[in-house]
């Protein structure tokens, strides 16, 4: 590590608390805090060459070939020319260096783009435009609307009332709903006065840099007072300022010390399991090479003593060298000759194959998202085959599985269900983009983006059905949404969660428009009439109450309580008169839940004035109590929230991305386990789990782990394990695996009967990830089909992935879209970023990126599987052809006195891997496919062999080596026997060294080419040209090299004059070529035939189906819409955190008061010109049958039906 790096580590260890002073650069510089510049690159102009070469020579093979090059320049031991090694080595180093340089230049450009952004900084009492990288800790900066936050800031003041700012945190957590931050009143008084801000000299003492996005602790000392600081007063780098003209902030952390950069995690060099296995095999091959060279060196020593000693009488040894020294030189000579067992062209070919398969991903039109103009992108070229071995997928929820867009989909009002579209037969139709939408033109204040398809509901509103009006009145009043209206009629709602915004927007479109609020009133427009309700109390939502209520007084003076919440909670508080309505509504809720919608029950209650006055007094006493305040308030809430009257229920769709359920179903069939790691609350995560088919009602059981202590969590995990496998032992079962020479304990998969799901909360997960309990958690989770972790932090996401990586020895993939997913994306073997509206932070840290989760199935089941299959075929064939090539040298050594003479022409040795066999194997590795993409989707189980490493493993490698040994014996001894003591037709001798070399190398080339043809499953024109062209190239080059002309030009370089012409003109030579080829492939064909008949694999069975179908794609399965019901209740539509009721009623959350406006409605109720009711709400049915009548008639009359207001004077 560099001295700079050590200094950074020491500084981080030393910094226990951050101290800084506003507008005092000299004081702050003394602490040597990081500037705001970021640097994600690895090299600069001067360090690139030495560092890159150092990294490349850390690869064992590159160092080995450098060592060979040194040996080849020693004349005493070199029997090959130096260029046979230096040319491929330089080529490999150059290609890799060029790729690394390109990647690093892109990183430099990205860094420069960010570092050179401009921001206004307060320097010497003036605002100056400075580059981001020049901003320092302690500076005061000014941000304007829609600007990115420059660094981690303490909010000082803003343009909004009460110094509020609105920020979008999509880059951090993937959520697009706005968050609110508020400055301290003492700094808010500085406003935008530059002079006051320049004189501000507050001191901040806070926590040191860390990656906790949801927590901040510190204090501000100013004017002799100390003020507490928390996360609500901090603006983090990566956020965007929204709906706020300007704000001022004090820089607390800059550049690499910001929470955004701290969450980026450490970039690690990712290598595939094939790479790791290849390194082990290369080490084994080096050992085997040393063994072969030792055998041949000993053979040379024995030969020198027995056969060489008499020969020294004719040719004495130089410098008196003896047999021992001769065998020493022979050892190194054979190291050079037999080095082709690990040719450097292997690594060149691997890089080319990976690059080609990466281009396929980039070019795939089926992974292109037209709406956002986003193609899929392989951001790394070294991990493609790993995509074919994924066992665990870890997915974020918000923005990854869902669009983070809530839509009002259906509702049930007074026993009648709305939202379905029926045909003339009364059967429900599938809603699609061509389905006719409701016309909201009668409402000038309607949101044009809102769509609804059931016309009956808007007709019921126009007919002034009292229950329908009360339903939407509740939605317009019972919330904590803030309204902004910068232009007349253009309303913008700021909701603390998208689902609450969706409910208020639905009420707005159906004629109950929330317009504005003050701390003690709510103004709405009801069917064109402006009405202001007095807001008397907000009984706010929290995770225990699971409901929210408001108490309002209407303009007529009527007191009402409106409540919305989880149906199980609301039902407990209903008046007994609602029993039949509750049964009908429950049926509707079950239907909604079966479709994966988020449900919410609505109820109301008219209050007695005297009772409320007394209750209000006790509420005030409880809210000011010093002890047990929350308990007293809860008891008061329970007292007033009872005997409610049921209005109905809402069903909101947390819109999944297109194709998510189908994708998860396909991946499950491929035996890929999917874990969802989300920061959302448990109910929301469960709901999405059901929506996307991750959790299913037909599962045997779904375990909820929510213990608040280590003992509780451990017991819940053990109970779940006992339920799944009653005979399970308490101790975890491990299987020792050896990886890179180390024994690694891998947790064994335990089979269970049935399918189970596991849902665990964030606080429980914190205990489960402790060292003493992590194996219990992992063991239980791995027995389940699906796992959902809720309320998890970015660090916990990374810890879960690391846990599976460590103990399961399985290939993992993490997919997400926000900065909170970056840690797990970097920890996983494969990181995938979703590029969408939630920011690009995850994409920048990912290995692959695309716009929609559904593309994951194509990435894995098609591109991943093909890449893995091609790479395994390539490696098996490459080792086969090179081992066969090298073993022939080994056998020949016993017939040439162990003299390190080569069996082939030197030019054949140079061109064998670079020209004669390079293109055919590359063609197979780039174009081969066992079945096409349609069949890959039809049979996801084809993916399983990759997870089990069946296509290339140590066993497959040793089979390949044995096959090569057999082939080399055939290819050496058959030609040797064929030409031994043989003569030509003209009585000349055939068996000279050069003729034998040409015969052997020709037999070798035909044998390996035929073997390639057997390996290939998918022949294309390119493959055919490569195979035939390589054979043609061999003969063309050989005849040219052996020509008279080249011999006359360079006699030493081209000694094989006329050999090819003389040898290949003999019939017995061609008969030998045919015989060796048949004998080489006969065992392979026999083995494959017997294996397919006796033990066919999944691939064999599917390929048989393909051949029977004559390679025509199967018809796509018809998906019929099934009307599902569910007794499970989906998550209620509320925010993820406690509500903003306190802020609303205190007035600290408000914008400037709105001025009175005309309603903008032209017509209301049945007085609407030209309106004639039709459809279901008018009692019209094409089939002559009343619709939805029976259940409605069974419902008791409520008090609302007695107060129907008719405004039409004619009636």
């Amino acid at each position: 590590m560099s001295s700079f790096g050590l200094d950074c580590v020491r500084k981080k260890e030393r910094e226990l608390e951050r101290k800084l002073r506003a507008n005092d650069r000299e004081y702050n510089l003394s602490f040597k805090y990081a500037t705001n510049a970021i640097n994600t690159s690895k090299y600069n102009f001067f360090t690139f060459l030495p560092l890159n070469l150092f990294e490349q020579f850390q690869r064992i093979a590159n160092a080995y070939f450098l060592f060979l090059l040194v040996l080849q320049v020693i004349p005493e031991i070199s029997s090959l020319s130096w260029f046979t090694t230096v040319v491929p080595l330089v080529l490999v180093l150059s290609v890799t260096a060029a790729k690394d340089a390109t990647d690093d230049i892109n990183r430099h450009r990205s860094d420069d783009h960010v570092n050179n952004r401009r921001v206004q900084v307060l320097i010497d009492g003036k605002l100056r435009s400075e580059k981001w990288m020049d901003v320092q800790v302690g500076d005061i900066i000014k941000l304007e609307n829609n600007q990115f936050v420059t660094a981690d800031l303490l909010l000082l003041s803003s343009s909004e009332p009460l110094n509020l700012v609105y920020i979008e945190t999509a880059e951090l957590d993937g959520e697009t709903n706005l968050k609110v931050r508020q400055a301290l009143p003492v700094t808010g008084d500085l406003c935008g006065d530059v002079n006051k801000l320049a004189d501000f000299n507050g001191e901040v003492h806070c926590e040191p840099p860390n990656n906790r996005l949801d927590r901040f602790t510190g204090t501000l000392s100013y004017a002799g007072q100390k003020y507490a600081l928390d996360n609500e007063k901090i603006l983090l780098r990566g956020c965007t300022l929204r709906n706020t003209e300007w704000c001022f902030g004090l820089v607390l952390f800059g550049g690499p010390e910001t929470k955004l950069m701290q969450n980026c995690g450490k970039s690690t060099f990712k290598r595939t399991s094939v790479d790791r296995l290849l390194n082990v095999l290369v080490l084994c091959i080096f050992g085997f090479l040393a063994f072969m060279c030792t055998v041949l060196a000993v053979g040379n020593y024995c030969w020198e003593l027995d056969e060489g000693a008499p020969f020294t009488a004719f040719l004495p040894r130089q410098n008196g060298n003896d047999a021992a020294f001769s065998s020493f030189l022979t050892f190194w000579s054979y190291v050079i000759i037999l080095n082709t067992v690990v040719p450097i062209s292997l690594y060149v070919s691997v890089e080319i194959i990976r690059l080609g398969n990466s281009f396929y991903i980039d070019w795939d039109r089926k992974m292109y998202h037209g709406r956002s103009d986003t193609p899929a992108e392989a951001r790394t070229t070294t991990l493609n085959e790993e995509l074919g071995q994924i066992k665990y997928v870890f997915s974020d929820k918000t923005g990854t599985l869902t669009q983070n867009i809530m839509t009002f989909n259906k509702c049930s009002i007074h026993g009648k269900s709305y939202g379905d579209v029926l045909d003339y037969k009364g059967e429900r139709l599938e809603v699609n983009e061509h389905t006719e939408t409701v016309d909201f033109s009668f409402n000038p204040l309607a949101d044009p983006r809102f769509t609804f398809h059931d016309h009956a509901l808007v007709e019921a509103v126009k007919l002034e059905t009292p229950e329908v009006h009360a339903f939407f009145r509740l939605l317009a009043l019972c919330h904590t949404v803030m309204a902004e209206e910068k232009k007349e009629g253009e309303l913008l709602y700021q909701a603390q969660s998208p689902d609450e915004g969706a409910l208020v927007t639905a009420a707005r479109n159906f004629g109950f428009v929330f317009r504005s609020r003050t701390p003690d009133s709510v103004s709405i427009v009801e069917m064109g009439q402006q009405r202001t309700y007095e807001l008397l109390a907000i009984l706010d939502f929290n995770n225990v109450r699971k409901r929210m209520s408001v108490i309002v007084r209407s303009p007529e003076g009527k007191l009402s309580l409106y409540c919305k919440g989880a149906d199980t909670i609301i039902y407990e508080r209903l008046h007994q008169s609602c029993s039949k309505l509750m049964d009908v509504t429950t049926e509707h809720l079950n239907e909604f839940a079966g479709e994966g919608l988020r449900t919410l029950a609505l109820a109301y209650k008219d209050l007695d004035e005297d009772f409320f006055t007394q209750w209000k007094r006790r509420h005030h006493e409880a809210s000011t109590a010093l002890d047990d305040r929350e308990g007293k308030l809860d008891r008061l809430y329970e007292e007033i929230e009872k005997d409610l009257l049921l209005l109905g229920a809402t069903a909101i769709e947390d819109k999944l991305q297109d194709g998510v359920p189908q994708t998860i179903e396909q991946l499950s069939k491929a035996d890929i386990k999917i874990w969802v790691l989300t920061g959302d609350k448990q109910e929301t995560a469960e709901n999405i789990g059901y929506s996307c088919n991750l959790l299913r009602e037909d599962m045997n059981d779904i375990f909820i782990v929510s213990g608040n202590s280590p003992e509780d969590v451990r017991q819940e995990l053990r109970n779940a394990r006992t339920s799944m496998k009653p005979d399970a032992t308490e101790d975890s079962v491990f299987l020792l695996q050896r990886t890179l020479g180390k024994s690694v304990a891998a947790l064994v998969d335990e089979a269970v009967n049935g399918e189970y799901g596991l849902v665990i909360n964030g606080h429980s997960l914190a205990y489960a990830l402790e060292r003493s309990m992590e194996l219990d958690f992992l063991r239980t989770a791995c027995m389940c089909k699906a796992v959902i972790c809720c309320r998890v932090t970015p660090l916990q996401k990374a810890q879960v992935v690391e846990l599976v990586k460590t103990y399961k020895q399985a290939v993992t993939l993490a997919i997400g879209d926000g900065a909170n997913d970056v840690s797990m994306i970097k920890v996983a073997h494969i990181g995938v970023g979703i590029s969408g509206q939630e920011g690009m932070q995850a994409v920048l840290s990912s290995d692959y990126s695309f716009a929609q989760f559904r593309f994951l199935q194509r990435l894995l089941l098609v591109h991943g599987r093909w890449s893995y299959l091609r790479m395994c075929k390539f490696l098996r064939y490459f080792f086969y052809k090179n081992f066969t090539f090298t073993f022939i040298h080994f056998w020949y050594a016993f017939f040439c006195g162990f003299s390190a003479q080569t069996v082939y022409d030197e030019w054949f040795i140079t061109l064998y891997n670079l020209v004669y066999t390079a293109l055919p194997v590359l063609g197979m590795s780039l174009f081969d496919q066992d079945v096409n993409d349609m069949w890959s989707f039809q049979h996801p189980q084809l993916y399983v062999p990759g997870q089990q490493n069946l296509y290339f493993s140590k066993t497959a490698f040793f089979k390949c080596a044995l096959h090569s040994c057999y082939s080399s014996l055939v290819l050496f001894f058959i030609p040797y026997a064929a030409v031994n003591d043989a003569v030509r037709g003209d009585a000349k001798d055939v068996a000279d060294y050069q003729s034998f070399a040409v015969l052997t190398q020709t037999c070798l080339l035909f044998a390996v080419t035929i073997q390639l043809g057997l390996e290939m499953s998918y022949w294309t024109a390119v493959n055919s040209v490569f195979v035939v062209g390589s054979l043609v190239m061999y003969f063309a080059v050989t005849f040219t090299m052996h020509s008279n002309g080249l011999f006359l030009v360079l006699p030493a370089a081209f000694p094989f004059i006329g050999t090819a012409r003389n040898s290949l003109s003999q019939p017995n030579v061609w008969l030998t070529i045919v015989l060796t080829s048949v004998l080489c492939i006969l065992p392979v064909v026999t083995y494959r035939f017997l294996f397919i008949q006796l033990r066919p694999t999944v691939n064999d069975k599917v390929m048989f189906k393909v051949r029977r179908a004559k390679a025509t794609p199967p018809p796509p399965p018809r998906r019929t819409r099934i009307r599902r019901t569910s007794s499970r209740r989906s998550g209620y539509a509320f925010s993820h955190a406690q509500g903003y009721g306190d802020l609303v009623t205190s007035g600290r959350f408000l914008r400037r008061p709105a001025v009175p406006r005309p309603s903008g409605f032209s017509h209301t109720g049945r007085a609407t010109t030209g309106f004639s009711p039709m459809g279901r709400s008018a009692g019209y049915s094409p089939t002559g049958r009343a619709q939805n009548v029976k259940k409605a008639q069974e419902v008791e009359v409520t008090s609302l039906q007695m107060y129907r207001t008719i405004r039409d004077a004619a009636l």
Side-chain angles (χ1 to χ4, degrees), residues 64 67-68 71 77 79 284-302 323-342 886-887 889-891 893-894 897-900:
Y64 167 67
F67 174 67
L68 280 183
L71 291 180
I77 61 175
S79 54
C284 295
I285 291 169
F286 286 161
F288 184 62
L289 174 63
F291 170 75
M292 286 195 299
C293 293
T294 301
V295 169
L296 297 179
V298 171
N300 177 267
Y301 178 78
C302 296
F325 187 72
S326 173
S327 67
F328 173 75
L329 295 178
T330 301
F331 176 87
W332 294 110
S333 296
Y334 273 112
V335 167
I336 295 173
I337 289 175
L338 302 181
N339 79 80
T340 47
V341 284
V342 189
T886 306
F887 285 163
H889 273 304
F890 183 78
W891 308 130
F894 291 89
F898 305 97
S899 61

Side-chain angles (χ1 to χ4, degrees), residues 801-820:
V801 177
E802 187 64 49
L803 182 65
V804 175
K805 275 180 65 178
T806 303
Y807 289 110
K808 292 302 291 183
Q809 296 298 305
V811 183
T812 59
L813 179 146
I815 179 169
D817 68 319
N820 58 340

Side-chain angles (χ1 to χ4, degrees), residues 361 383-390 830 848 859-860 864 943:
I361 295 172
L383 302 173
N384 295 329
E385 64 270 17
E386 197 92 316
L387 291 170
Q389 298 180 275
I390 302 298
I830 302 285
Y848 299 88
L859 183 72
L860 300 186
Y943 191 82

Side-chain angles (χ1 to χ4, degrees), residues 630-694:
E630 291 186 3
K632 291 178 179 178
L633 287 173
D634 283 341
R635 286 190 289 274
L636 276 172
Y637 292 168
E638 287 286 347
E639 180 184 333
I640 200 169
E641 291 175 327
K642 64 181 182 181
D643 293 333
L644 304 176
L645 298 175
L646 183 62
L647 274 174
T650 61
I652 284 183
E653 181 181 6
D654 186 358
K655 289 186 79 70
L656 292 173
Q657 290 192 8
D658 295 338
V660 167
Q662 294 83 358
T663 299
I664 288 178
E665 183 182 354
Q666 283 285 80
L667 296 181
S668 297
K669 289 179 181 176
D671 200 25
I672 297 173
K673 294 190 175 181
I674 300 173
W675 293 21
V676 174
L677 312 178
T678 176
D680 283 349
K681 67 179 187 291
Q682 179 182 321
E683 291 83 357
T684 306
E686 278 187 64
N687 180 57
I688 292 300
Y690 281 101
S691 299
C692 62
N693 287 344
L694 190 64

Side-chain angles (χ1 to χ4, degrees), residues 695-978:
L695 301 177
R696 299 192 309 279
E697 295 237 20
D698 57 0
M699 282 184 165
N700 297 61
D701 202 355
I702 294 170
F703 305 107
I704 308 295
V705 178
S706 56
N708 291 310
S709 68
E711 293 75 20
D712 291 345
V713 173
R714 191 187 303 274
Q715 190 59 46
E716 288 177 357
L717 291 172
R718 286 180 177 172
N719 292 343
R721 220 164 36 244
T722 305
S723 299
M724 289 186 282
K725 194 175 183 182
D727 57 342
T729 59
E730 285 300 315
D731 298 325
S732 301
V733 182
F734 289 95
L735 181 68
L736 286 179
Q737 296 184 351
R738 293 192 63 82
T739 305
L740 294 177
K742 299 178 184 176
S743 292
V744 179
L747 194 66
V748 175
D749 285 329
E750 299 179 66
V752 295
N753 293 323
E755 293 185 351
Y756 300 87
L758 177 70
V759 180
I760 183 168
N761 275 326
H763 57 267
S764 302
L765 184 63
Y767 296 123
L769 291 175
E770 291 177 355
R771 179 70 65 182
S772 61
M773 209 188 304
E774 59 182 10
L775 288 178
D776 276 341
F777 165 64
L778 181 63
R779 198 177 155 205
T780 307
C782 290
M783 293 166 76
C784 297
K785 185 74 173 176
V787 178
I788 297 178
C789 302
C790 320
R791 285 295 190 194
V792 294
T793 64
L795 181 61
Q796 285 177 326
K797 290 184 178 184
Q799 287 174 333
V800 171
V801 177
E802 187 64 49
L803 182 65
V804 175
K805 275 180 65 178
T806 303
Y807 289 110
K808 292 302 291 183
Q809 296 298 305
V811 183
T812 59
L813 179 146
I815 179 169
D817 68 319
N820 58 340
D821 304 314
V822 167
S823 294
M824 74 169 179
I825 283 174
K826 289 192 172 182
V827 168
H829 293 98
I830 302 285
V832 178
I834 299 289
S835 52
Q837 60 177 345
E838 287 78 18
M840 296 293 288
Q841 199 64 36
V843 170
L844 296 175
S845 303
S846 66
D847 305 305
Y848 299 88
S849 69
F850 40 72
Q852 295 276 295
F853 181 83
R854 61 190 162 96
F855 297 145
L856 182 63
Q857 64 173 322
R858 187 166 183 84
L859 183 72
L860 300 186
L861 302 185
V862 178
H863 291 289
R865 199 179 68 81
W866 281 350
S867 295
Y868 174 70
L869 184 67
R870 291 163 180 166
M871 183 61 73
C872 293
K873 279 190 175 185
F874 164 78
L875 291 173
R876 290 200 308 262
Y877 175 73
F878 206 94
F879 282 124
Y880 165 76
K881 75 182 182 68
N882 282 283
F883 279 10
T884 305
F885 176 90
T886 306
F887 285 163
I888 294 174
H889 273 304
F890 183 78
W891 308 130
Y892 181 66
F894 291 89
F895 294 87
C896 69
F898 305 97
S899 61
Q901 185 182 21
T902 59
V903 69
Y904 313 114
D905 174 11
E906 191 172 286
W907 283 104
F908 180 80
I909 295 173
T910 305
L911 300 176
Y912 177 71
N913 280 311
L914 292 178
V915 177
Y916 301 148
T917 60
L919 288 180
V921 71
L922 280 179
M924 178 186 72
S925 308
L926 290 174
F927 302 111
D928 197 43
Q929 48 182 262
D930 51 353
V931 294
N932 63 24
D933 55 348
M934 289 293 294
W935 284 98
S936 296
F937 287 134
Q938 286 290 310
H939 299 276
Q941 62 269 28
L942 286 170
Y943 191 82
V944 175
Q947 298 170 332
Q948 300 171 351
N949 289 313
L950 295 184
Y951 293 147
F952 187 71
S953 59
K954 292 176 185 175
T955 304
F957 172 76
F958 287 117
K959 285 181 182 177
C960 177
L962 288 174
H963 183 203
S964 299
C965 186
Y966 164 78
S967 296
S968 66
L969 287 169
V970 170
L971 290 169
F972 177 77
F973 287 102
I974 297 295
Y976 181 82

Side-chain angles (χ1 to χ4, degrees), residues 478-499:
C478 186
H479 57 79
T480 57
V481 174
M482 306 299 298
E484 180 182 12
E485 188 170 0
K486 291 191 174 180
K487 292 183 180 179
E488 177 65 31
E490 290 186 12
L491 282 169
L492 178 65
Y493 292 148
Q494 304 291 352
Q496 65 186 82
S497 67
D499 41 12

Side-chain angles (χ1 to χ4, degrees), residues 22 139-141 153-158 163 183-191 197 200 220 233 235 247-250:
D139 286 350
I140 292 178
I141 64 175
L153 309 175
L154 168 64
L155 179 61
L156 297 179
S157 62
S158 84
N163 296 293
L184 287 167
V186 66
T187 60
D189 293 340
L190 301 173
C191 300
L197 288 164
F200 178 67
L220 170 67
K233 298 170 181 63
L235 305 182
C247 73
F248 283 90
L250 173 66

Side-chain angles (χ1 to χ4, degrees), residues 162 172 198-199 225 252 288 313 327 656 664 708 836 998 1024 1084:
L162 304 169
L172 292 174
D199 294 335
Q225 297 292 323
L252 302 179
F288 184 62
S327 67
L656 292 173
I664 288 178
N708 291 310
V998 170
S1024 305
V1084 179

